[in-house]
Amino acid sequence: MMIPTIPTPDELLDKGFRRGKKNADLMRSQKKIPKHLKGKRIEEARVVTACQVIKDKLKSIIDSVPIIEELPEFYQDYIDITVSVDDLKQALGGLNWAFGILTQLEKEYGGKIRNNPSDKASMFQKQAYGRIASVVNKIKKDLDFLDFAKQSLRNMPTVDFDAITIVIAGFPNVGKSTLLRQITGADPQVANYPFTTKGIQIGHTERRWQEIQIIDTPGLLDRPVLEMNDIELNALIALEHLADAILFIFDASETCGFTLESQFNLFVQIEKVFNEIPIIALFNKMDLIDGDEYTQQYIDAFEDSILISAMEGEGLDKINETIDKIQKISREQT
């Protein structure tokens, strides 16, 4: 969502009044206007132009923001998590209010200048400018908020809603980024995502002539759900709108600093949040493991767990087979 540069009230007024003066000067240079009407035409041009210039800028800002309810649910949640949809609508409402009042002032003072003696024109122009300035200054907080929204949403991830989407989960240092690069064969796109520590990572690959989108969210799906606040839980819901499946990565070697028991507990919590989405268990760093009962008990807890070494590229064929199955299920559902 591209929000244009948001001016301050002073910048809006300066632009409007400068353009008003320019048009007034052009009107002053017109020799065909009768002398007894020229003063009124000059001041009317000043007021009408100032109103129209400011209104045009406000309208361009309002029109640049799409109707939130028409966006995909992921983006609706993303915007709500980042800046609050209600606050965004309220700020846009402030600009709409100002647009309406300026339209009234343009008509009211244009009429007063036209319908009164010439010696009153300058007085009405000054009154109009005072009221225009008052209206614009009243939406300062709305302009400030929209500037904040522009900055906050400038790195909103570009998501392909037609692609099969797989979300990666697991504690830090279990090999998520390594696996993402192995599957996609390239460095992923990195963009800000609310309440992640490093920014969402999106990689793309193609299987059976269909785009596959792999998403990793460092700082979100790598810690206990019970420790998250309400806003972070909403961020999980946003991901739920995207995910066709989740790859949950266990570090079988525990060199990530988390025990398999802790990792299993995180899996259970995420499974509760994404209760309608298939979650595939991957046991990574198996090249560091000599078969033992401790590790095997966690592997055996899953019917279809996949043993891999992301660093060595081992087990990728099984992951690709799983992705093929996800594709097939997705096609059947659509």
Side-chain angles (χ1 to χ4, degrees):
M1 182 171 69
M2 294 297 293
I3 298 176
T5 300
I6 305 297
T8 64
D10 285 345
E11 289 169 340
L12 260 180
L13 292 170
D14 183 61
K15 183 177 181 181
F17 293 164
R18 277 192 294 107
R19 288 281 296 278
K21 181 180 183 304
K22 185 176 180 180
N23 269 12
D25 290 342
L26 286 174
M27 193 65 64
R28 186 176 285 111
S29 68
Q30 298 295 317
K31 296 181 179 179
K32 295 181 179 180
I33 302 175
K35 190 174 181 180
H36 69 284
L37 294 178
K38 180 167 281 192
K40 295 203 288 187
R41 295 283 178 84
I42 289 170
E43 301 304 345
E44 183 182 0
R46 197 190 296 265
V47 170
V48 170
T49 300
C51 285
Q52 289 179 347
V53 167
I54 296 170
K55 284 166 55 184
D56 286 347
K57 183 58 182 177
L58 295 179
K59 189 173 189 305
S60 73
I61 296 170
I62 295 166
D63 290 347
S64 73
V65 180
I67 298 172
I68 305 299
E69 290 77 12
E70 293 181 356
L71 294 173
E73 288 184 90
F74 172 79
Y75 283 136
Q76 291 184 42
D77 286 339
Y78 183 98
I79 293 167
D80 199 31
I81 292 163
T82 310
V83 300
S84 168
V85 167
D86 288 343
D87 290 347
L88 182 60
K89 288 181 177 179
Q90 185 174 346
L92 292 171
L95 268 60
N96 262 313
W97 169 83
F99 185 97
I101 298 297
L102 290 172
T103 299
Q104 293 176 19
L105 293 177
E106 179 184 345
K107 182 177 180 181
E108 176 185 346
Y109 281 92
K112 285 183 176 181
I113 292 169
R114 284 193 305 274
N115 299 324
N116 282 279
S118 293
D119 60 357
K120 302 283 187 181
S122 179
M123 177 191 71
F124 286 128
Q125 177 267 314
K126 289 176 182 177
Q127 286 180 6
Y129 269 28
R131 292 185 64 182
I132 291 168
S134 176
V135 169
V136 172
N137 284 318
K138 282 181 180 177
I139 59 170
K140 180 182 185 304
K141 68 180 188 304
D142 301 308
L143 294 170
D144 287 345
F145 179 84
L146 289 168
D147 185 60
F148 158 74
K150 173 183 172 60
Q151 301 306 320
S152 300
L153 298 172
R154 69 184 185 279
N155 288 327
M156 189 160 64
T158 301
V159 174
D160 184 351
F161 294 95
D162 294 323
I164 298 293
T165 299
I166 296 172
V167 174
I168 297 178
F171 274 115
N173 304 314
V174 297
K176 300 193 298 294
S177 296
T178 302
L179 180 64
L180 182 58
R181 285 192 293 272
Q182 288 281 21
I183 295 175
T184 61
D187 288 334
Q189 165 205 347
V190 179
N192 284 347
Y193 188 85
F195 310 103
T196 65
T197 56
K198 298 179 183 178
I200 188 171
Q201 300 185 81
I202 303 178
H204 297 270
T205 187
E206 189 176 288
R207 295 282 301 169
R208 299 180 183 275
W209 305 282
Q210 184 172 14
E211 188 80 8
I212 306 295
Q213 183 171 242
I214 315 291
I215 298 179
D216 178 25
T217 56
L220 187 59
L221 290 182
D222 59 5
R223 66 194 188 88
V225 177
L226 295 177
E227 294 179 10
M228 295 180 180
N229 58 39
D230 289 343
I231 298 177
E232 290 169 320
L233 289 172
N234 286 339
L236 290 190
I237 294 170
L239 285 178
E240 187 179 9
H241 297 314
L242 290 180
D244 292 295
I246 294 174
L247 298 180
F248 187 96
I249 305 180
F250 290 87
D251 176 358
S253 70
E254 297 185 343
T255 56
C256 64
F258 298 93
T259 65
L260 278 169
E261 181 180 6
S262 296
Q263 296 177 65
F264 184 80
N265 289 336
L266 177 61
F267 175 94
V268 171
Q269 292 176 37
I270 289 177
E271 189 177 39
K272 288 179 180 177
V273 176
F274 296 90
N275 58 355
E276 296 184 1
I277 297 170
I279 305 180
I280 297 93
L282 309 181
F283 284 83
N284 189 27
K285 306 184 185 179
M286 290 302 294
D287 55 315
L288 303 180
I289 299 296
D290 293 325
D292 59 63
E293 292 182 4
Y294 170 72
T295 304
Q296 195 62 42
Q297 66 178 317
Y298 288 99
I299 295 174
D300 290 344
F302 303 93
E303 285 186 19
D304 300 313
S305 59
I306 301 174
L307 311 185
I308 66 170
S309 171
M311 187 67 70
E312 303 298 327
E314 296 177 6
L316 292 181
D317 54 340
K318 293 184 178 179
I319 294 175
N320 285 329
E321 288 175 9
T322 300
I323 292 174
D324 290 342
K325 291 178 183 177
I326 294 168
Q327 279 183 292
K328 183 179 180 181
I329 293 170
S330 177
R331 287 196 190 101
E332 289 173 352
Q333 289 176 341
T334 56

